[in-house]
Amino acid sequence: MATIPVMEIFGPTVQGEGMVIGQKTMFVRTAGCDYRCSWCDSAFTWDGSGKDLITPLTAEQIWERLQEVGGTRFSHVTLSGGNPALLGSLGELTRLLAGKGIRMAVETQGSRWQDWLLEIDEVTVSPKPPSSGMHTDWGKLDELISRLSQRTDGKSVSLKIVIFDEKDLAYAIHAHARYPHIPLYLQTGNPDVHTGETDSHALSLIRRYEWLIDQVMDKDELNDVRVLPQLHTLVWGNKRGV
């Protein structure tokens, strides 16, 4: 049986981002990413600093660990990273969880396709705007969203774009026009992923959230979007494993 490079299994906690914000969930965080975003809040998954955290686990071992940590207090699991879509071996885990009646969510930038994405109940596609320093391959993103949009089994897909500045907002407007049938969530960017001071950090994020709200309210092209804070950073700052 194939193994999966796992860095963290934690919860239950609340999902802090995207269309499943507020959802009670367990997290399985995998190692590796094909992007190097300038403001990444989980760079330890790809920059080498977290290499000692990586444990190769089978799907059955992950399920056992989920039960050890979460007991019977969960019915939803979020696959996180890095970019989980790098891992074909996650298909074994998604099939196991589906067989046990567990709902699943995942977030990916849309740069890689895996067939197991079709089994995920809530797929958040989060292409990275100019502030990230990354480049979007719109052709690959078109194909991925087209495949996910064809599902007719009640499973959902959405776009989530992190906004730091006006260039990011223009990028979001372009993405919304390109995929008007996909729900779009705009989320406040977190420019300081290292501070441990929760109160002052939360205040700065609330001010950025207010700026984003004002910007969206002023744009005709963004009449049908949802504007979110990054919930977990407001509550716990940059603390990991929550």
Side-chain angles (χ1 to χ4, degrees), residues 7-23:
M7 302 195 78
E8 296 180 301
I9 295 176
F10 62 92
T13 185
V14 294
Q15 172 58 255
E17 304 187 359
M19 65 176 167
V20 287
I21 191 169
Q23 169 70 52

Side-chain angles (χ1 to χ4, degrees), residues 143-159:
E143 181 180 359
L144 181 138
I145 287 180
S146 176
R147 289 188 182 189
L148 292 172
S149 300
Q150 293 171 17
R151 298 185 299 176
T152 59
D153 49 6
K155 294 179 170 57
S156 56
V157 57
S158 68
L159 284 169

Side-chain angles (χ1 to χ4, degrees), residues 17-173:
E17 304 187 359
M19 65 176 167
V20 287
I21 191 169
Q23 169 70 52
K24 181 180 180 181
T25 189
M26 295 290 292
F27 276 86
V28 177
R29 186 185 299 280
T30 59
C33 192
D34 49 330
Y35 276 20
R36 300 292 184 266
C37 296
S38 61
W39 34 253
C40 181
D41 61 2
S42 53
F44 67 94
T45 62
W46 51 261
D47 67 3
S49 63
K51 63 181 182 299
D52 293 338
L53 300 174
I54 301 172
T55 303
L57 297 175
T58 66
E60 286 286 352
Q61 288 172 327
I62 292 173
W63 173 243
E64 292 171 2
R65 182 61 178 154
L66 283 166
Q67 291 180 297
E68 289 173 7
V69 176
T72 59
R73 296 173 293 126
F74 72 97
S75 58
H76 188 279
V77 169
T78 298
L79 305 177
S80 184
N83 181 10
L86 294 179
L87 302 171
S89 55
L90 275 172
E92 294 183 11
L93 179 63
T94 58
R95 288 189 292 273
L96 184 153
L97 293 176
K100 295 184 180 296
I102 301 296
R103 289 175 51 240
M104 292 170 282
V106 71
E107 180 176 317
T108 176
Q109 56 261 45
S111 58
R112 298 288 185 92
W113 173 260
Q114 297 288 350
D115 287 342
W116 58 255
L117 287 168
L118 296 171
E119 303 174 31
I120 303 295
D121 299 280
E122 296 133 345
V123 179
T124 295
V125 182
S126 184
K128 307 309 178 188
S131 63
S132 70
M134 298 293 102
H135 172 73
T136 299
D137 185 327
W138 293 102
K140 286 185 178 179
L141 193 57
D142 288 348
E143 181 180 359
L144 181 138
I145 287 180
S146 176
R147 289 188 182 189
L148 292 172
S149 300
Q150 293 171 17
R151 298 185 299 176
T152 59
D153 49 6
K155 294 179 170 57
S156 56
V157 57
S158 68
L159 284 169
K160 186 204 80 178
I161 299 175
V162 176
I163 305 296
F164 282 85
D165 54 34
E166 290 83 359
K167 289 183 179 179
D168 290 353
L169 205 60
Y171 175 96
I173 290 171

